[in-house]
Amino acid sequence: MGRSVRQVNHGADPKIDLEIGEEGEKAGELFSGLFAFLHVIGNGVTFFLLMRLIRLCVLKRLLLELTERQVIIIYYALTYRNWSDDRQVETGVLEQVSVTRDELFMRKLVDATLMKNKLWAHLSNECEDRREHAVYVTGYDNQKPAEYGTAIANAALAMCKMSSMYSAEYMLWNGSAFQELDVVESSSYTMELAEQLLDHYMVQGGTTYEFVYSVLDADRKKVLFFMKEVDL
C-alpha cells in the first residue's frame, strides 16, 4: 500500500512523518476541514476530545497495517521418494509439494499417505541442508500392519468427504472393520493435527481410544486416525 513510517527529530519535539500518497492527502484535507468546522461551531472540550479520538483511530490503523506487513509465510519443498527394500535403492519421485512448516510437520508424522488413489507406507524422513525435505515411502502392501492392514486400506480408500482445509476423521475398530466415529471436538488446525499424531491415546466422553495407525489423504485434506477402544 506504499506506506512507510519514519521518525523525524525537530529539536525536543519528535514527530511522525507519514508518507501516505494521494489518498492520504485527500483524507488529510477532509480532516482539516472537519477540524476547522468543529472549531468554529463546537466548544473547545468537544473539539479536543474528537481530535484525540480520531488521532488514536488513525494510529491504531497504522500499527495494524505495519503488523500485517511483518507476517511472512515460509514454504518448504517436500518430495515423496519411492524406496525399494529389495534393491535398497530409490526407484523414483512420486510427488513434489510446497508446504508450510505446520503442514510439513504433519506430513512427516503420519504412518502412510494416500496419493492418487494409492496408499504408500512411510519408511523414513530426511532433510538436506535444512531446506530440502523428503519422505521415503514404499507400497502399503509391503509394510502394512499385520492385524489391521487390509481393514485400514479398505477404509482409507472408501472415504470420500472433502475439506477446504485439513481436518481429522476418526475410524473406530469394531472387531472386523473400521467405521467412522463422530467426534464433537475434532482437530481442525494443521498444528493441532500434528500434535495429535504424537499422542498414543485419546479420551473422549470418558472412553479411552488407542491410535493404531494414521493416514494422510492430501487430495481430500483429511488425516485419518485409526483407533480401537481400550480399558485402561
Side-chain angles (χ1 to χ4, degrees):
M1 295 185 301
R3 299 189 180 184
S4 61
V5 179
R6 67 175 186 271
Q7 181 172 313
V8 181
N9 293 325
H10 298 279
D13 184 21
K15 297 181 179 180
I16 294 179
D17 180 21
L18 302 180
E19 299 177 358
I20 58 177
E22 184 177 352
E23 293 183 0
E25 293 177 1
K26 292 180 180 179
E29 293 174 1
L30 179 62
F31 282 133
S32 297
L34 179 61
F35 293 158
F37 177 74
L38 291 173
H39 186 66
V40 172
I41 67 170
N43 59 61
V45 175
T46 302
F47 176 70
F48 175 77
L49 292 175
L50 284 173
M51 281 200 305
R52 289 289 300 271
L53 178 61
I54 293 173
R55 183 183 179 187
L56 287 173
C57 290
V58 172
L59 289 176
K60 182 178 180 180
R61 177 61 183 171
L62 176 62
L63 289 174
L64 287 174
E65 291 176 356
L66 291 175
T67 302
E68 290 173 357
R69 289 183 184 181
Q70 296 176 359
V71 177
I72 300 175
I73 300 177
I74 301 176
Y75 286 85
Y76 298 83
L78 175 62
T79 302
Y80 288 89
R81 303 182 182 278
N82 191 5
W83 181 263
S84 172
D85 281 333
D86 296 336
R87 298 164 53 190
Q88 288 295 297
V89 65
E90 178 188 333
T91 58
V93 172
L94 296 175
E95 189 174 58
Q96 291 178 313
V97 293
S98 180
V99 297
T100 63
R101 187 178 186 85
D102 290 355
E103 186 174 340
L104 176 68
F105 187 32
M106 179 187 70
R107 282 175 175 263
K108 284 188 171 185
L109 284 174
V110 294
D111 297 307
T113 296
L114 186 61
M115 290 182 286
K116 299 176 182 178
N117 210 36
K118 185 175 180 179
L119 202 54
W120 300 87
H122 288 205
L123 295 175
S124 61
N125 300 322
E126 179 183 84
C127 178
E128 181 178 348
D129 297 328
R130 302 188 66 84
R131 293 193 307 270
E132 301 293 330
H133 296 264
V135 177
Y136 287 87
V137 300
T138 187
Y140 177 75
D141 289 338
N142 299 329
Q143 291 285 328
K144 65 181 180 182
E147 185 176 357
Y148 309 105
T150 302
I152 288 173
N154 291 340
L157 293 169
M159 302 301 291
C160 58
K161 289 188 295 185
M162 307 285 288
S163 295
S164 59
M165 59 186 296
Y166 279 104
S167 60
E169 286 180 339
Y170 298 94
M171 312 299 295
L172 180 63
W173 179 248
N174 64 8
S176 59
F178 284 97
Q179 294 181 330
E180 187 174 4
L181 175 70
D182 290 330
V183 176
V184 178
E185 297 180 359
S186 60
S187 301
S188 58
Y189 292 97
T190 308
M191 182 51 70
E192 288 182 352
L193 293 169
E195 291 172 352
Q196 191 164 34
L197 286 167
L198 294 171
D199 294 333
H200 295 95
Y201 299 93
M202 177 182 73
V203 179
Q204 186 76 21
T207 303
T208 302
Y209 302 97
E210 179 184 359
F211 294 125
V212 297
Y213 207 76
S214 60
V215 173
L216 171 70
D217 189 337
D219 294 333
R220 297 192 303 116
K221 288 190 176 298
K222 294 288 187 180
V223 177
L224 287 77
F225 291 87
F226 293 89
M227 56 193 189
K228 64 179 180 179
E229 187 176 334
V230 294
D231 186 14
L232 296 179

